[in-house]
Amino acid sequence: MKHVTFKPVIGIVSPCYNEEQVLDETEKQLRNLIFDLVDRELISDKSFIVFIDDGSKDGTWDVIEKKAIKSVVVKGLKLAGNVGHQNALLAGLLTYNGDADALISIDADLQDDVRIIEEMIQKYKSGVDVVYGVRKERPTDTFFKRNSALLFYFLIKKMKSNMIPNHADYRLCSNRVITALSDFNEVNLFLRGIIPLIGFNKEIIYYDRLERLAGNSKFPFRKMLSFAWNGITSFSTVPLKLVSAIGFVIFIVCLFMSGYAFLAIFTGDTVPGWLSTVLPMYFLGGIQLFSIGIIGEYIGKIYAEVKQRPRYIIDKKID
């Protein structure tokens, strides 16, 4: 266990996509936080912040580049194209793992309260390898977003995943956790499921979710739905097992329907041919399409994994 006077090198990793409007304030708050923690001798003066530009279409990289050149604590990483939030975050974690004792990931919009970073570091200094930032409530979310999130966590729990409810990607990971993460070579990346899978000592810190400083959310409904589905299919085979279960249920239902149709023929209480033809056709056709879709999703993931294409390509790096 680490001694409490240990001054670790801490890296704050923040993926950015079209965050030009918010970066000035984000960099200011994180930089001031680093300086404050260094002055109070809680962390090493070699601690830093790294912003990862995930193929932004605005002036995000220009802002990052200027601040990285100007400030001793700011670093910049520019990816060759847009690879998505999870891959951009992974690029920052793996690239700077050797430069820090622990890395803290946080989104650039600063809806995650930076004031708990000090508590995260104290947990790490006491011997904890992973510290999860978990939101207490969702007061800024719409009714639909709040309840769809609850449904997602309910489903993911039923599928035997050890994912942390109401945790996004605000967390501290020690050097050995990131080193273990580097052994996960899967292309269908879902860090919120992988990090708990690694193990080691963990703690949870709860915080209140804040309003966005500026700009718009980069996760509209379509992307949130895609992200949730990717999380479910990347960490559970339950949907495939569900196909088998549905097939069994249909078999039982068809037995009862056959009995009903047989009786209806003798009672004359039916339109000839309708019950035995139209109803099963629509019912079975819909189930077949649903099942094929789920199987196709898994086949698509296998296809992506087999190709083993790089998850990100670094264009520029400013230290």
Side-chain angles (χ1 to χ4, degrees), residues 1 9 25 36 45 55 57 68 70 73 104 119 129-130 147 152 156 162 166 168 176 182 188 197 200 236 278 288 309:
M1 185 173 290
V9 178
E25 182 62 26
D36 177 60
D45 58 5
K57 298 178 181 178
K70 181 179 178 180
V73 299
I104 299 173
E119 189 177 352
D129 285 289
V130 185
N147 286 278
F152 168 69
I156 208 75
N162 55 355
N166 289 320
R176 67 174 182 160
S182 66
N188 298 290
L197 193 64
F200 295 122
S236 177
V278 177
Q288 286 173 346
R309 290 178 178 173

Side-chain angles (χ1 to χ4, degrees), residues 247-263:
F248 178 75
V249 170
I250 291 175
F251 172 72
I252 299 299
V253 170
C254 285
L255 287 179
F256 282 103
M257 289 177 62
S258 298
Y260 174 74
F262 182 76
L263 291 174

Side-chain angles (χ1 to χ4, degrees), residues 47-243:
S47 299
F48 59 89
I49 308 158
V50 55
F51 293 107
I52 303 101
D53 177 28
D54 182 24
S56 298
K57 298 178 181 178
D58 61 1
T60 295
W61 175 247
D62 292 333
V63 176
I64 294 174
E65 189 174 33
K66 290 176 183 177
K67 294 187 178 299
I69 294 173
K70 181 179 178 180
S71 176
V72 295
V73 299
V74 178
K75 302 176 185 290
L77 193 67
K78 178 177 174 59
L79 303 183
N82 178 245
V83 294
H85 178 275
Q86 297 290 280
N87 286 313
L89 177 54
L90 182 72
L93 294 174
L94 297 187
T95 301
Y96 289 93
N97 182 39
D99 298 338
D101 295 301
L103 294 173
I104 299 173
S105 55
I106 186 171
D107 288 344
D109 57 21
L110 288 192
Q111 286 188 275
D112 301 316
D113 193 350
V114 299
R115 290 174 295 183
I116 70 167
I117 286 180
E118 180 177 343
E119 189 177 352
M120 284 182 169
I121 295 171
Q122 295 290 8
K123 294 280 188 184
Y124 166 72
K125 292 169 72 173
S126 70
V128 179
D129 285 289
V130 185
V131 185
Y132 297 101
V134 176
R135 63 190 72 173
K136 294 178 182 176
E137 298 177 350
R138 293 173 170 266
T140 60
D141 290 350
T142 63
F143 174 84
F144 176 80
K145 186 175 180 180
R146 187 183 307 115
N147 286 278
S148 60
L150 291 175
L151 176 61
F152 168 69
Y153 288 118
F154 171 78
L155 291 175
I156 208 75
K157 183 178 180 180
K158 291 296 182 183
M159 294 181 185
K160 309 301 181 184
S161 171
N162 55 355
M163 183 176 164
I164 308 298
N166 289 320
H167 164 71
D169 287 291
Y170 188 23
R171 70 178 79 87
L172 176 148
C173 290
S174 68
N175 181 276
R176 67 174 182 160
V177 172
I178 305 300
T179 300
L181 176 63
S182 66
D183 292 331
F184 286 74
N185 298 316
E186 54 207 72
V187 175
N188 298 290
L189 195 64
F190 191 67
L191 292 175
R192 300 179 194 183
I194 293 177
I195 300 296
L197 193 64
I198 292 175
F200 295 122
N201 300 326
K202 62 181 181 296
E203 292 280 352
I204 291 176
I205 297 177
Y206 294 93
Y207 68 95
D208 292 315
R209 182 79 162 169
L210 306 175
E211 293 282 355
R212 247 187 98 88
L213 293 177
N216 299 315
S217 172
K218 304 305 182 297
F219 270 87
F221 174 72
R222 179 181 58 84
K223 282 191 174 182
M224 285 191 297
L225 189 63
S226 175
F227 187 72
W229 181 245
N230 182 55
I232 291 172
T233 54
S234 294
F235 278 86
S236 177
T237 58
V238 169
L240 285 175
K241 295 176 181 177
L242 183 63
V243 171

